């Protein structure tokens, strides 16, 4: 990649146009940033001077020395300097520009597949050139393909870099030299005026004595000295990086606390905990609630009689009985003449909730109402009328609950199932619907994706957390085996034998149809194959594209025992309850994450008989996939599995970042920086006590509108 022969020096005055710099100074005010570069930078999320400062390198190169060409070895990444001996265009299967250089100790070929006539003219014989790149073997000499290079004046020595050279996340049209120049300019602004980036965390407030100040940390990360610990910098564990990560995590934590304070400052329905409906419901149950369910129910009831909005996260492993706890909370609200909305991520799960709650609540004189986007217009209109009139006390639905044409009369409790499946704005919209007469509804957020304790401390500082850490009596541990798909015929024979014992089987496939892109077994193909191989057994098929009535009919047939093997996509991941299903086959298990595998496995083992789960994989297995499957084989503990998922893949995959609207952290990593999380509470307390005026600026610097996450 060509660059100018002149190098930006940190001592130069910053190339800034139009007035003194601030963190919000637009990047187009930096010299060299025209409309086209501005547009390219925006794709990287760089629109302001502050964005430049916090756009950090992900690795470094050493350009403080020149390596003799004669000592090069393939695979090395380093800097050389030499005189051009020959430049020519090589024709062939792929046209390339070849430039041979020598420094007296050896020769090296620079190869460019993308080049211009101007470049070809510049790389003329006799010019001196300095190159940085990765060495590889070539036909005649060692080569560098598309190295970064700098043309030098032959009559004066060119200075070498005085620090390690940063390598930044980049995009098409934004070169590394451009990003380095911008970073150098931004650091110059800090050098001139410390007020550009005020440090809101003085040393006495920092939990670690070796944490540098904010400005020093940024300078170090952008321009590390030659003796810096490159391994620590690459891993993100250097004290300078940890100082930045801590401040970002602290800002996230503060935004959570601030939003909780704002939310709980508003009144909520004051509920009488003495509920005749709850008593009658418990009396009609054929089993006793577990001690964990009783404990959590008491926590929820206590929350809802304070007059402040409940903000409670209910965590429970697959089959721990979260629905029972949610039902008791709903009955308490209904008995106090308030409406309840239960929001599920899929229509199948919403229908499942409606069917289960109908069995429990109809004897109590309560008819749960289902509202989904696929209902006929007449049915939907009737349901909306029942909701707005207050006639519907218990409303269950998908995202249809927060559409603009749905209004509640007296919404007192919002229950959100599998909360990580919903976007922030969706959850906020439902919450807003419940605000009436200056009252805010209570919130109960449920998840069957256990979150490791350390991560929960960071993500849910705004929520009280209840954990169902006890499974109901009779739940059987599921035996898990890992099997190569080359043994598919053997597995089909095993399924036939299981069905002969009156067992039912799930066979889960990631895709509905054949795909040229992904080599998965498609559900429809598997359904056809199993129908032929397992005749005369009844093979069913369910997936997300089926109309709601067809899905309900298939599931009802499966529950009734009329279907022996149900081929399904991951639509059955959560909520589906068929106690007689005791064998689960998961196709292409190596492609799925631990949390999803655990959820799917949780569909079996719900009855009294022994259950099995077979994880089919396509060889060869990668290291990460093998590690995931080993975890599944060894453990049924959802919390342990969640911790391993966090370690293997990070929180974004574990929590479904794309769905959650979880703020994208610039620097911190919830997995790597777990050791910092327990320090947040104490630092936040001191900050509020000693420097409360710094709280809002800290949040604004790091969070912006992402602080809305704290409201959900």
């Amino acid at each position: 990649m060509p660059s100018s022969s002149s190098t930006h020096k940190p001592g130069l005055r910053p190339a800034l146009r139009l007035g003194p710099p601030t963190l919000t100074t637009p990047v187009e005010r930096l010299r060299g940033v025209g409309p086209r570069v501005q547009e390219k930078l925006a794709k990287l999320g760089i629109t302001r001077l502050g964005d430049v400062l916090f756009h950090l390198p992900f690795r470094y190169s050493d350009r403080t020395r020149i390596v003799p060409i004669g000592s090069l070895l393939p695979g090395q990444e380093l800097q050389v300097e030499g005189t051009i001996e020959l430049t020519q265009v090589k024709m062939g299967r792929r046209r390339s520009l070849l430039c041979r250089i020598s420094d007296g100790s050896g020769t090296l070929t620079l190869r460019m597949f993308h080049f211009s006539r101007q470049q070809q003219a510049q790389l003329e014989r006799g010019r001196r050139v300095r190159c940085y790149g990765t060495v590889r073997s070539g036909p005649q000499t060692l080569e560098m393909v598309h190295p970064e290079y700098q043309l030098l004046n032959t009559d004066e020595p060119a200075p070498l870099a005085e620090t390690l050279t940063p390598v930044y996340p980049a995009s098409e049209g934004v070169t590394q030299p451009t990003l380095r120049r911008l970073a150098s300019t931004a650091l110059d602004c800090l050098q001139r005026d410390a007020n550009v980036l005020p440090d809101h965390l003085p040393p006495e407030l920092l939990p670690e004595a070796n944490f540098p100040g904010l400005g020093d940390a940024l300078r170090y990360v952008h321009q590390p000295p030659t003796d810096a610990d490159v391994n620590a910098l690459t891993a993100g564990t250097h004290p300078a990086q940890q100082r930045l990560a801590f401040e970002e995590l602290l800002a996230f934590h503060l935004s959570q606390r601030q939003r909780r304070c704002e939310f709980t400052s508003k009144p909520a329905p004051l509920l009488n905990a003495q509920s005749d409906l709850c008593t009658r419901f418990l009396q009609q149950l054929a089993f006793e609630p577990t001690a964990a369910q009783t404990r959590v129910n008491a926590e929820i009831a206590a929350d809802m009689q304070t007059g402040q909005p409940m903000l409670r996260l209910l965590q429970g492993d697959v089959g721990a009985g979260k629905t029972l706890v949610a039902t008791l909370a709903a009955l308490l609200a209904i008995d106090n003449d308030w409406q309840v909305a239960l929001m599920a991520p899929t229509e199948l799960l919403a229908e499942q909730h409606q069917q289960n709650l109908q069995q429990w609540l109809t004897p109590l004189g309560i008819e749960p109402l289902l509202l989904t986007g696929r209902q006929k217009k007449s049915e939907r209109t009737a349901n909306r009328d029942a909701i707005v009139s207050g006639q519907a006390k218990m409303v269950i639905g998908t995202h249809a609950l927060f559409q603009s044409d749905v209004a509640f009369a007296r919404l007192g409790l919002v229950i959100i199932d599998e909360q990580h499946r919903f976007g922030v704005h969706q959850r906020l919209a439902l919450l807003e619907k419940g605000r009436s007469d200056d009252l805010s509804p209570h919130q109960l957020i449920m998840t069957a994706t256990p979150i490791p304790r350390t991560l929960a401390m960071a993500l849910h500082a705004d929520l009280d957390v209840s954990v169902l850490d006890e499974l109901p009596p009779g739940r059987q541990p599921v035996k898990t085996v890992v099997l190569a798909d080359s043994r598919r015929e053997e597995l089909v024979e095993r399924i036939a034998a299981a069905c002969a014992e009156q067992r039912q089987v799930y066979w889960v496939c990631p895709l509905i149809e054949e795909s040229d892109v992904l080599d998965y077994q498609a559900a429809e193909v598997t359904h056809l194959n199993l129908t032929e191989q397992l005749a005369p057994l009844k093979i069913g098929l369910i997936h997300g594209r089926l109309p709601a009535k067809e899905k309900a009919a298939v599931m009802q047939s499966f529950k009734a025992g009329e279907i022996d093997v149900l081929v399904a996509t991951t639509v059955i991941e959560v909520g589906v309850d068929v106690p007689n299903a005791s064998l689960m086959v998961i196709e292409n298990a190596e492609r799925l994450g631990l949390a999803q595998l655990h959820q799917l496995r949780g569909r079996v083992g719900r009855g009294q008989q022994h259950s099995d789960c077979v994880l089919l994989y396509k060889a060869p297995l990668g290291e990460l996939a093998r590690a995931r499957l080993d975890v599944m084989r060894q453990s049924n503990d959802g919390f342990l599995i969640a911790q391993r998922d966090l370690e293997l893949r990070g929180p974004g995959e574990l929590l479904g970042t794309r769905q959650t609207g979880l703020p994208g952290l610039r620097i911190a990593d919830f997995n790597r920086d777990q050791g910092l999380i327990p320090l947040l509470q104490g630092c936040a307390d001191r900050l509020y006590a000693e420097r409360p005026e710094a709280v809002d600026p800290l949040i604004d610097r790091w969070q912006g509108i992402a602080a809305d996450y704290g409201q959900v």
Side-chain angles (χ1 to χ4, degrees):
M1 193 70 66
S3 65
S4 169
S5 59
S6 63
T7 305
H8 182 83
K9 298 182 177 62
L12 297 177
R13 294 182 65 78
L16 187 69
R17 302 189 288 257
L18 303 175
T22 68
L23 286 183
T24 58
T25 295
V27 288
E28 58 264 34
R29 282 179 51 192
L30 301 179
R31 183 155 294 127
V33 180
R36 292 184 64 184
V37 174
Q38 176 190 351
E39 183 181 335
K40 304 285 188 185
L41 289 170
K43 292 180 180 179
L44 285 171
I46 300 174
T47 60
R48 307 173 304 171
L49 183 65
D51 299 327
V52 176
L53 284 170
F54 292 105
H55 187 74
L56 301 188
F58 65 94
R59 66 183 180 91
Y60 300 87
S61 57
D62 185 356
R63 306 189 190 193
T64 62
R65 60 194 180 97
I66 302 295
V67 178
I69 292 176
S71 66
L72 300 183
L73 295 172
Q76 292 178 316
E77 185 176 337
L78 35 70
Q79 183 168 248
V80 298
E81 189 173 305
T83 302
I84 298 175
E85 294 184 336
L86 175 68
T87 297
Q88 65 177 7
V89 175
K90 177 80 170 177
M91 306 304 291
R93 190 174 63 178
R94 192 176 181 190
R95 195 173 73 115
S96 60
L97 177 66
L98 303 182
C99 178
R100 191 174 70 224
I101 67 172
S102 172
D103 66 352
S105 70
T107 59
L108 175 72
T109 299
L110 314 180
R111 184 184 294 270
M112 264 77 76
F113 294 107
H114 308 287
F115 59 93
S116 65
R117 288 184 179 179
Q118 182 184 12
Q119 279 179 269
Q120 185 178 348
Q122 286 177 338
L123 296 170
E124 61 184 352
R125 183 177 180 179
R127 293 291 303 268
R128 288 192 61 75
V129 64
R130 180 177 294 171
C131 310
Y132 185 90
T134 301
V135 181
R136 75 173 196 179
S137 297
Q140 279 83 40
T141 68
L142 294 177
E143 294 184 348
M144 284 185 180
V145 177
H146 280 287
E148 287 188 48
Y149 69 85
Q150 179 183 3
L151 294 170
L152 307 175
N153 295 321
T154 55
D155 55 349
E156 59 183 61
L160 290 166
E162 297 177 358
T163 66
L164 297 180
T165 300
V167 180
Y168 295 93
S171 65
E172 185 180 353
V174 181
T175 65
Q176 290 296 328
T178 296
L179 291 169
R180 290 172 194 139
R181 177 177 53 79
L182 288 174
S184 185
T185 298
L187 291 173
D188 285 348
C189 292
L190 291 191
Q191 190 74 32
R192 290 180 60 203
D193 185 358
N195 292 325
V196 171
L197 186 71
D199 195 338
H200 301 300
L201 294 178
E204 62 270 17
L205 280 180
L206 291 172
E208 296 287 344
N210 65 337
F211 278 175
L214 182 61
D216 290 339
L218 281 169
R219 288 186 195 93
Y220 195 100
V221 174
H222 281 289
Q223 298 175 344
T226 55
D227 60 350
D229 186 341
V230 178
N231 291 332
L233 284 168
T234 303
T237 57
H238 191 280
Q241 293 163 310
Q242 290 286 283
R243 165 65 176 82
L244 300 172
F246 178 77
E247 182 168 314
E248 184 174 26
L249 288 171
L250 179 63
F252 181 49
H253 179 84
L254 290 168
S255 72
Q256 297 268 317
R257 287 176 56 159
Q258 191 176 77
R259 293 301 182 182
R260 178 181 177 86
C261 185
E262 291 174 7
F263 187 79
T264 55
S265 67
K266 300 165 186 172
L270 183 61
L271 306 185
N272 183 352
Q274 301 302 315
S275 169
D276 177 61
L277 282 175
C278 290
T279 302
R280 289 164 55 198
F281 171 66
L282 291 171
Q283 288 173 346
Q284 75 180 24
L285 287 177
F287 56 88
E288 287 289 325
T290 65
Q293 287 172 320
T294 301
R295 181 191 74 245
V296 172
N297 180 52
E299 292 170 352
I300 291 170
D303 281 351
M304 294 199 294
Q305 58 184 319
T306 63
Q308 289 185 328
M310 173 177 69
L311 289 167
R312 188 165 289 276
L313 174 68
L314 174 57
Q315 288 197 79
D317 206 346
V318 175
K322 295 180 295 298
T323 304
L324 175 67
V325 172
T327 301
L328 285 166
L331 288 173
L332 180 58
I334 293 170
D335 217 5
N336 282 268
D337 198 27
W338 290 91
Q339 290 172 295
V340 178
L342 191 162
M343 186 163 69
T346 67
E347 289 195 357
L348 185 63
L349 184 51
E351 291 156 9
Q352 179 87 33
H353 277 309
Q354 198 256 355
Q355 292 167 10
N356 289 341
L357 290 173
Q358 204 164 31
Q359 296 176 15
W360 281 348
L361 301 186
T362 300
L364 302 175
I366 301 168
E367 189 63 32
L369 183 147
L370 180 66
L371 187 72
T372 68
R374 294 192 182 183
Q375 289 174 333
K376 291 181 179 179
K377 185 176 180 181
S378 58
E379 183 181 8
R380 184 175 168 79
T381 300
N383 288 344
R384 287 204 319 264
D385 292 344
I387 295 171
V388 74
S389 69
Q391 177 187 346
K393 296 298 184 184
M394 181 80 198
V395 184
I396 303 161
T398 57
H399 59 280
L401 288 178
F402 54 79
Q403 291 177 354
S404 58
D405 61 348
V406 179
F408 288 82
R410 283 170 57 85
L411 183 57
L413 172 63
V414 174
I415 302 171
I416 299 175
D417 196 14
E418 290 302 314
Q419 61 92 17
H420 65 284
R421 301 287 194 90
F422 291 100
V424 171
H425 299 298
Q426 293 173 327
R427 299 197 295 271
L428 289 176
L430 186 58
L431 189 62
E432 287 293 334
K433 284 183 178 294
R435 287 182 175 149
S436 59
D437 300 326
D438 295 323
L439 291 178
S440 291
H442 298 287
Q443 289 184 70
L444 179 62
I445 298 169
M446 302 193 298
T447 179
T449 304
I451 303 170
R453 180 177 175 273
T454 305
L455 186 57
M457 287 171 61
L459 292 179
H460 299 302
D462 60 321
L463 297 173
D464 297 310
V465 180
S466 292
V467 178
L468 289 176
D469 51 6
E470 179 182 0
L471 292 179
R475 280 303 299 255
Q476 300 290 323
V478 179
K479 180 182 178 182
T480 301
V481 297
V482 178
L483 203 66
D485 66 356
S486 58
R487 299 173 64 184
R488 186 181 302 270
E489 290 185 11
E490 177 185 332
L491 177 60
V492 171
E493 292 176 5
R494 180 175 172 180
I495 289 174
C499 292
E501 298 172 357
Q502 306 304 311
R503 297 172 68 185
Q504 287 176 276
V505 182
Y506 288 106
W507 189 301
V508 179
C509 304
L511 291 185
I512 299 170
E513 301 165 342
E514 289 276 14
S515 168
D516 294 329
V517 180
L518 300 173
D519 185 22
Y520 292 5
Q521 274 294 114
E524 290 184 340
V525 173
T526 299
H527 176 254
L528 289 172
N529 291 341
L530 292 180
T531 299
E532 181 181 332
Q533 294 169 320
L534 292 172
L537 294 177
K538 177 69 173 175
I539 315 298
L541 174 65
I542 190 169
H543 54 70
R545 292 187 196 168
L546 283 179
K549 286 188 177 180
E550 285 188 40
K551 281 190 291 187
V554 172
M555 284 309 306
Q556 192 55 45
S557 295
F558 191 53
K559 290 183 76 168
E562 298 164 1
I563 293 175
D564 300 294
V565 179
L566 181 61
V567 178
T569 59
T570 52
V571 70
I572 58 101
E573 179 183 341
V574 292
V576 179
D577 188 6
V578 182
N580 192 51
S582 59
L583 176 58
M584 164 74 70
V585 178
I586 304 176
E587 192 92 42
N588 292 111
E590 77 278 8
R591 308 281 187 113
L592 302 178
L594 276 173
Q596 193 172 30
L597 288 171
H598 183 58
Q599 287 285 335
L600 288 167
R601 181 173 61 181
R603 297 309 102 213
V604 296
R606 305 178 81 83
Q608 298 299 315
Q609 59 186 321
H610 167 77
S611 294
D612 298 279
C613 178
V614 179
L615 304 178
L616 267 184
Y617 69 88
K618 187 176 182 65
L621 274 180
E623 185 177 341
L624 180 61
R626 186 179 300 279
R628 284 201 299 264
L629 297 185
D630 282 346
V631 171
M632 291 296 297
R633 183 164 45 193
Q634 295 164 9
S635 178
N636 278 275
D637 184 336
F639 285 91
L640 185 149
I641 289 170
Q643 180 63 44
R644 290 292 290 130
D645 207 14
L646 176 65
E647 294 166 2
L648 290 171
R649 300 200 301 166
E653 294 294 333
L654 172 65
L655 300 173
T657 300
R658 294 176 185 85
Q659 289 76 36
T660 61
L662 184 68
L665 299 180
R666 286 177 174 266
I667 295 165
D669 180 284
F670 284 119
N671 184 30
R672 180 195 66 208
D673 302 325
Q674 286 189 61
L676 299 176
I677 292 173
L679 309 175
L680 300 176
Q681 180 83 35
C683 187
D685 290 343
R686 288 193 61 190
L687 197 64
Y688 273 113
E690 300 174 28
R691 300 195 65 179
E693 72 281 357
V695 172
D696 286 340
L698 260 178
I699 294 173
D700 289 342
R701 174 183 294 166
W702 291 96
Q703 293 292 309
I705 61 170
D708 278 344
Y709 181 79
Q711 294 189 26
V712 299

